[in-house]
Amino acid sequence: MSSLNHVLSDFVQYLENERDAGRGMVEVPVEVLNELGVMPKKATVPVSKEAVKIASLHRQVNHEHLPGTTGLEEIKASIAACKKCSLHKSRTNVVPGQGSVSPEIMFVGEAPGADEDLQGLAFVGRAGQLLTKMIEAMGYKREEVFIGNILKCRPPDNRPPMPDEMEVCLPFLKAQIAVIKPKVIIALGSTAVKGLLNLTTGITKLRGKWLSFEGIDLMPTYHPAYLLRNPPAKKEVWDDLQEVLRHLGRTPPPVKKR
Ligand code: URA
């Protein structure tokens, strides 16, 4: 049997079980819609919040065809096709973000810099190397978390993102979060907090205190680029990361001797 047939027969079985159990309505998981490759023409069942968000993202980037393609690859394709702000003119590559598709932790930074623009990967420059150390100090490998940014294209001269750029780019990040559903988001710096929560309070005040993004626990902390300029602040970031580990029921691995 093909994998689609498997999905279909599992799905039919599930519907029959639910019907036999007396339920008139069921939630259709996004993965099932994704596997089936089609959105129902008429929603006779409540389609999950994520599917609606992602379909609307596809609409925003003017895809002619709106199949039930709801995974990270489809979001990536939408990002690659995006010309909603002027940053598309100067980019070498889009930087959608990368990592595990079902991570405990998602890190959100500001925007790609020169190295990221060249490689199409988030956090691969100097700040990225420090982020890797932070991730490993927590006991994860880089591939076990997801790393993304508020903006998917590099602003010229690494200037901070403009409000209109953030507004048009945010649906991509929100769609990624809806798909990967991290247990915790770590917002790196004030732009990440502003983008996700529309909070303009400075990061110094916010860091280390739990916030929430659409029901997902969010820990604000300093951006690694700030730590490169101000190494003593690493201590506070380490406190924040340890709080995240406690929250996830993990203990940090012993610090390696140099
Ligand atoms: N700074 C960011 O905020 N993101 C990157 O991807 C690289 C540097």
Side-chain angles (χ1 to χ4, degrees):
M1 213 194 269
S2 75
S3 80
L4 179 60
N5 281 344
H6 266 300
V7 173
L8 268 173
S9 72
D10 286 350
F11 187 44
V12 169
Q13 181 71 60
Y14 165 65
L15 290 177
E16 285 173 349
N17 291 347
E18 292 301 287
R19 184 200 54 204
D20 294 344
R23 276 180 274 282
M25 301 275 274
V26 290
E27 284 254 342
V28 181
V30 128
E31 292 78 4
V32 172
L33 293 175
N34 196 13
E35 282 288 335
L36 294 175
V38 284
M39 283 287 199
K41 287 212 174 59
K42 278 189 190 156
T44 50
V45 291
V47 177
S48 75
K49 239 165 88 183
E50 289 87 345
V52 172
K53 268 194 212 152
I54 294 159
S56 92
L57 169 73
H58 275 269
R59 229 185 357 253
Q60 281 179 44
V61 291
N62 302 323
H63 273 222
E64 282 175 18
H65 177 56
L66 286 185
T69 49
T70 52
L72 290 178
E73 287 306 313
E74 285 74 19
I75 298 170
K76 243 185 185 175
S78 302
I79 294 169
C82 180
K83 294 187 176 170
K84 289 203 156 243
C85 78
S86 63
L87 297 183
H88 80 274
K89 294 184 197 150
S90 51
R91 72 186 175 212
T92 314
N93 288 296
V94 292
V95 181
Q98 74 278 347
S100 165
V101 294
S102 54
E104 289 188 339
I105 302 177
M106 175 174 193
F107 288 86
V108 176
E110 180 174 302
D115 295 302
E116 291 77 20
D117 175 67
L118 281 177
Q119 296 184 43
L121 294 169
F123 279 98
V124 288
R126 276 184 71 222
Q129 284 160 23
L130 182 51
L131 179 61
T132 305
K133 285 190 185 157
M134 289 159 52
I135 293 166
E136 289 174 355
M138 294 175 82
Y140 296 90
K141 296 190 186 111
R142 240 179 102 107
E143 320 79 79
E144 291 175 321
V145 301
F146 193 92
I147 304 173
N149 282 305
I150 297 288
L151 292 194
K152 308 302 188 189
C153 295
R154 181 193 182 199
D157 303 320
N158 300 341
R159 64 156 170 74
M162 307 276 212
D164 57 327
E165 292 161 356
M166 285 169 65
E167 195 183 321
V168 295
C169 211
L170 265 166
F172 294 123
L173 179 64
K174 291 187 175 175
Q176 289 172 319
I177 294 171
V179 171
I180 72 175
K181 299 186 189 76
K183 290 197 180 126
V184 168
I185 296 172
I186 300 183
L188 300 167
S190 51
T191 302
V193 178
K194 166 89 179 74
L196 287 170
L197 303 177
N198 206 17
L199 281 179
T200 48
T201 316
I203 190 71
T204 311
K205 279 229 172 94
L206 292 177
R207 64 142 282 276
K209 299 185 189 107
W210 284 106
L211 297 169
S212 172
F213 171 80
E214 296 186 359
I216 300 172
D217 296 320
L218 181 149
M219 173 58 74
T221 195
Y222 293 130
H223 192 287
Y226 173 71
L227 299 181
L228 291 173
R229 299 191 299 274
N230 187 10
K234 285 182 186 172
K235 150 99 185 60
E236 286 154 288
V237 170
W238 183 231
D239 289 345
D240 302 344
L241 300 182
Q242 286 185 97
E243 169 55 24
V244 170
L245 289 172
R246 271 193 295 278
H247 192 75
L248 292 169
R250 287 181 165 245
T251 38
V255 178
K256 281 186 202 143
K257 292 226 171 77
R258 299 190 184 173

